[in-house]
Amino acid sequence: MKDSSLTISYQGNSDEVGCYVAPRPLSKGNCYFEVTIVDTGVRGMIAVGLVPQYYKLDHQPGWLPHSVAYHADDGKLYNGNTVGQQFGPKCNRGDRIGCGIYLESLEDGRTTVLFTKNGKEVGTVVVPGSPEALYPAVGMHSLGEEVQLDLQAEWGMEEDGLMMVDSHEDEWGRLHDVRVTGTLLEYVGKGKSIVDVGLAQSRLPLNTRCHYYELEITDAGEKCYIALGLARRNYPKNRHPGWSRGSIAYHADDGKLFQGSGVGDAFGPRCFEGDVMGCGIMFPRDYILDSGDDSDDGDLEVWPKQRRVQNELYMNDEDEEEDGEEKEGSKVMVFFTRNGKVVGRREVAVPAGGFYPTIGMMSTGEKIRVDLHPLSG
């Protein structure tokens, strides 16, 4: 197979930006490229993205209008501005940064740009202009930086040359201030106060055939205000799971368990970027929602309770909506895991209609990867 890679190294004095712009824009037959970091040099200030044809070569991609780039040193997205936004993880030596476009532009002449790290999707951004005006670019800004550029790389390609990603959006019944890209969920709310919760609730409740789900924290954002749990179908969109009645959740930032209250109980360890959190139900064998029984009723290893962690954000114990009581069903055992080990469990009455996997996020930059069916297949 022909080697299509090109080695690019920084030749400046670290006071000036160096930028490479490819001779051809992305196209239907070539809509994705990758950059492998060979050496991060002194500061690892490497940027990968798309720019206009006659871009100023003494500016990093993403700094000037009509350009966009993912920067390795801080993991931020720069979109026509010298101030970046929290976007993805930082990148180091050996990492591959990919950039591509969806060829189906929006009606108003905009293009969706995709970024990846080591073959895994980081996120997308919509930029003005057509794909024909976007040229692959690599920027550098410190001594010793070196990369390999592959303008013919492939990622998620279909036969017709269009980049396709299964959105998985149909798995979610409700999304509020949360963007779905494949299995990646990203918080897009304001992140300023406790009413700025982003909520994602699955379309279907847990049942005896699908009784467990997981999330991986791919970016903790500013505060890691991420909550994983179960809630009734019509749970309020601006309340973290666990804060209001008919819900229970394990919160990553303080390791507390919240069960229908704005005040949590010490429950398990805190969770950070890279951790996998899980939530499931141990259904009784005679549970009436489903005749099958796939529950795991073996012995559980329970983590010891951690010391209490104060968090003033959770001190509000008042529900803004208590519009009538709903019937509760039979009681089940809800359990939570962290990195494959059970943290603890609680007996809870199932709300009318069932318990729906529900995730909350509340600080800028938070991203998670969700698997609603980790035990299948």
Side-chain angles (χ1 to χ4, degrees):
M1 186 174 180
K2 184 178 179 180
D3 184 5
S4 59
S5 64
L6 172 69
T7 299
I8 303 172
S9 57
Y10 180 76
Q11 300 295 324
N13 57 11
S14 292
D15 292 330
E16 301 174 335
V17 171
C19 184
Y20 170 86
V21 179
R24 289 179 293 276
L26 294 184
S27 63
K28 180 176 180 179
N30 185 22
C31 59
Y32 178 78
F33 71 99
E34 280 188 342
V35 170
T36 301
I37 301 176
V38 178
D39 197 324
T40 56
V42 177
R43 291 179 290 176
M45 301 178 72
I46 297 168
V48 177
L50 299 170
V51 302
Q53 182 177 10
Y54 300 108
Y55 193 75
K56 292 183 179 180
L57 300 182
D58 58 350
H59 286 69
Q60 284 276 29
W63 282 3
L64 297 179
H66 309 297
S67 70
V68 62
Y70 178 26
H71 286 221
D73 59 312
D74 56 13
K76 291 184 178 181
L77 180 78
Y78 290 76
N79 188 3
N81 198 309
T82 54
V83 178
Q85 298 177 330
Q86 290 296 332
F87 185 66
K90 297 178 182 180
C91 302
N92 301 296
R93 180 177 180 178
D95 286 333
R96 300 188 335 270
I97 303 174
C99 178
I101 56 174
Y102 289 96
L103 298 178
E104 297 175 344
S105 295
L106 303 180
E107 292 181 1
D108 55 0
R110 298 189 296 170
T111 300
T112 300
V113 178
L114 169 85
F115 291 94
T116 67
K117 178 188 176 187
N118 298 330
K120 293 184 178 180
E121 183 180 321
V122 175
T124 61
V125 61
V126 178
V127 299
S130 64
E132 293 77 16
L134 299 172
Y135 289 70
V138 180
M140 299 180 183
H141 200 182
S142 75
L143 289 172
E145 293 170 348
E146 183 175 309
V147 301
Q148 280 194 327
L149 169 66
D150 186 355
L151 292 171
Q152 298 179 18
E154 295 184 357
W155 181 86
M157 307 298 289
E158 297 290 342
E159 291 182 0
D160 59 2
L162 297 179
M163 185 175 295
M164 302 295 290
V165 179
D166 182 2
S167 70
H168 292 265
E169 194 163 345
D170 59 348
E171 293 184 334
W172 300 98
R174 300 172 62 208
L175 293 167
H176 173 69
D177 281 346
V178 172
R179 179 169 56 204
V180 177
T181 308
T183 58
L184 188 76
L185 271 61
E186 177 181 1
Y187 176 68
V188 293
K190 295 178 181 178
K192 300 296 184 182
S193 71
I194 62 172
V195 298
D196 294 329
V197 173
L199 195 78
Q201 188 173 68
S202 71
R203 185 171 59 87
L204 299 173
L206 291 187
N207 56 58
T208 55
R209 285 197 291 265
C210 180
H211 62 95
Y212 176 75
Y213 79 104
E214 287 182 336
L215 70 78
E216 177 187 359
I217 302 174
T218 59
D219 193 325
E222 290 185 356
K223 301 290 185 180
C224 198
Y225 289 152
I226 296 169
L228 162 125
L230 302 169
R232 54 188 169 89
R233 182 197 295 267
N234 296 320
Y235 192 77
K237 65 182 181 181
N238 60 346
R239 300 284 284 173
H240 246 332
W243 283 1
S244 294
R245 63 181 175 83
S247 71
I248 181 171
Y250 177 26
H251 286 221
D253 62 305
D254 54 14
K256 291 182 179 180
L257 184 76
F258 289 75
Q259 186 176 346
S261 171
V263 178
D265 297 325
F267 184 67
R270 298 167 63 190
C271 300
F272 305 93
E273 187 171 314
D275 284 335
V276 176
M277 303 171 68
C279 176
I281 296 177
M282 298 172 64
F283 287 101
R285 294 189 180 277
D286 58 351
Y287 192 72
I288 60 174
L289 183 65
D290 198 312
S291 59
D293 180 23
D294 294 330
S295 61
D296 179 5
D297 53 2
D299 293 336
L300 297 177
E301 175 189 351
V302 181
W303 286 50
K305 288 187 176 181
Q306 307 296 303
R307 65 180 185 273
R308 297 183 67 84
V309 180
Q310 296 299 320
N311 187 336
E312 66 276 11
L313 281 177
Y314 296 131
M315 297 310 292
N316 180 6
D317 193 24
E318 296 182 1
D319 283 351
E320 65 216 26
E321 46 65 60
E322 289 295 342
D323 50 357
E325 294 298 320
E326 294 183 7
K327 267 191 174 182
E328 292 183 337
S330 57
K331 291 189 175 182
V332 296
M333 191 67 71
V334 175
F335 65 95
F336 294 91
T337 66
R338 176 179 179 268
N339 298 329
K341 294 183 178 180
V342 173
V343 176
R345 52 184 173 176
R346 285 287 174 87
E347 189 177 53
V348 184
V350 179
F355 258 143
Y356 290 73
T358 305
I359 296 165
M361 294 185 277
M362 204 174 61
S363 76
T364 303
E366 291 170 347
K367 295 179 184 178
I368 58 174
R369 196 169 295 279
V370 181
D371 188 349
L372 291 173
H373 313 285
L375 303 181
S376 64

